[in-house]
Amino acid sequence: MTKTYDQYRESTLGRADVEDTPELLAYYRQLEDLKVGALWTVANKIEPWQPKSDSVPVVWRYKDLRETVLRSVELVTPEKAGRRVIYLNNPGRTEVSAAVGWLYSGLQVMHPGELASAHAHSSSALRFIMEGRGAYTIVDGHKMTLGANDFVLTPNGTWHEHGVESDGLPCIWQDGLDIPLVNALEAGFYAVHPDLQQAVGFPVDDQVSLWGAAGLRPQNIGWNKPYSPLFKYQWEPTYEALRRYSEAREDNPFDGALMHYTNPVSGGHVMATIGASMQLLRPGFVGKAHRHTGSFLYQVAKGKGYSIINGQRLDWQERDIFCVPSWAWHEHVNESGTDDACLFCFSDLPVMEKLGLYREEALADNDGHQPVATSN
Ligand code: 1HN
């Protein structure tokens, strides 16, 4: 049987183990002058035995954030701010403004009658609607109306803008972007639309009309862009699909009933760099612990429960957001004995998969459950 990475880890054999001597220290200084370095001085750091995330597990509770986010309406306008957003700042990732790993997230608020102008960037983005009425997003001339728990794409390179109809209610949604990743790759471009606002060129919600019927593909309408033509995934059919799935199959031991939002043309992830899923934890579900590569940001679409992440218990309820850093042990529990819980999640899974970096492991000890070190 092959050894697990954990079993190899104890050995120092074959690892860099060079002690400093005055000659070596002088040599290192010479190397520095030449803008080079000796690999053995950094090898153990740059080649970790296994992923060691700088991100820490965090839960952002909506009851703590909501009022603060709403207060920004009194302080700045969307015109001045560009986007009126309070972003999630993981204490281990403040230098790159990431919520977890290479993913950015924030809460954006708009009042009825407000508009945020059109722009485009190399980052791919998504929105998950948290509350309000009358919100819309326009993506490359396609206008979409948005309600709570709807999920919308604004892929890499598309012109996009948002607003709330004058007869709506204040709206708050979660933005998710791959900005830290695109910046790390030094590949980011950004442009403001020359007219500040784009024209709506199609019937409202036309992409949903064309591409949103499960199992049906429109004749004579092509799509060859590297992201899903179905820009909006509505809550009701998503929840219905999850309920049917959970009636048709046993739970997955780690995730209950989990479905990926997909590109209806390819069957693959919705965008090249960001994937998303919704999972249903049936009443009383107690998941087992596993870990995998990739960074994951969850929003509680429905219900109440907790997750244990690297031994830390994080309690959550509807609208709370929490993160699972790469290679962190995690297990989810639905605390209700009567109601299901639903977790929306977005991640860099498409990147991990495409680059051949996805790896997954179940916790073998203790019947698959972590000891809980701290509660939060
Ligand atoms: C962006 O385009 C939006 O379109 C929100 O609403 C947040 C954060 C950084 C860069 C672009 C939006 C953003 C963003």
Side-chain angles (χ1 to χ4, degrees), residues 28-100:
Y28 296 153
R29 277 194 295 276
Q30 276 179 14
L31 294 183
E32 250 177 71
D33 290 342
L34 294 168
K35 300 186 178 57
V36 293
L39 175 61
W40 62 87
T41 62
V42 296
N44 294 349
K45 184 166 154 241
I46 66 173
E47 294 164 353
W49 293 107
Q50 55 184 329
K52 199 176 164 331
S53 183
D54 287 330
S55 307
V56 295
V58 180
V59 58
W60 289 270
R61 296 211 170 84
Y62 199 49
K63 74 171 167 47
D64 300 332
L65 282 185
R66 186 174 180 276
E67 288 307 311
T68 311
V69 170
L70 286 171
R71 192 154 138 59
S72 68
V73 176
E74 298 153 29
L75 300 171
V76 291
T77 60
E79 290 78 22
K80 282 275 187 195
R83 297 292 194 256
R84 193 199 281 122
V85 179
I86 302 301
Y87 70 94
L88 309 180
N89 207 7
N90 190 296
R93 301 294 284 156
T94 52
E95 273 181 35
V96 290
S97 305
V100 61

Side-chain angles (χ1 to χ4, degrees), residues 83 104 108 119 121 127 160 162 175 177 179:
R83 297 292 194 256
Y104 159 100
Q108 184 161 174
H119 66 199
H121 37 68
R127 335 239 95 89
H160 58 280
H162 321 293
D175 295 318
L177 292 98
I179 305 173

Side-chain angles (χ1 to χ4, degrees), residues 17 47 60 88 99 107 112 117 122 243 261 270 328 336 342 376:
D17 188 19
E47 294 164 353
W60 289 270
L88 309 180
L107 297 188
S117 57
S122 314
R243 287 177 59 109
Y261 293 95
V270 289
S336 168
C342 292
N376 173 309

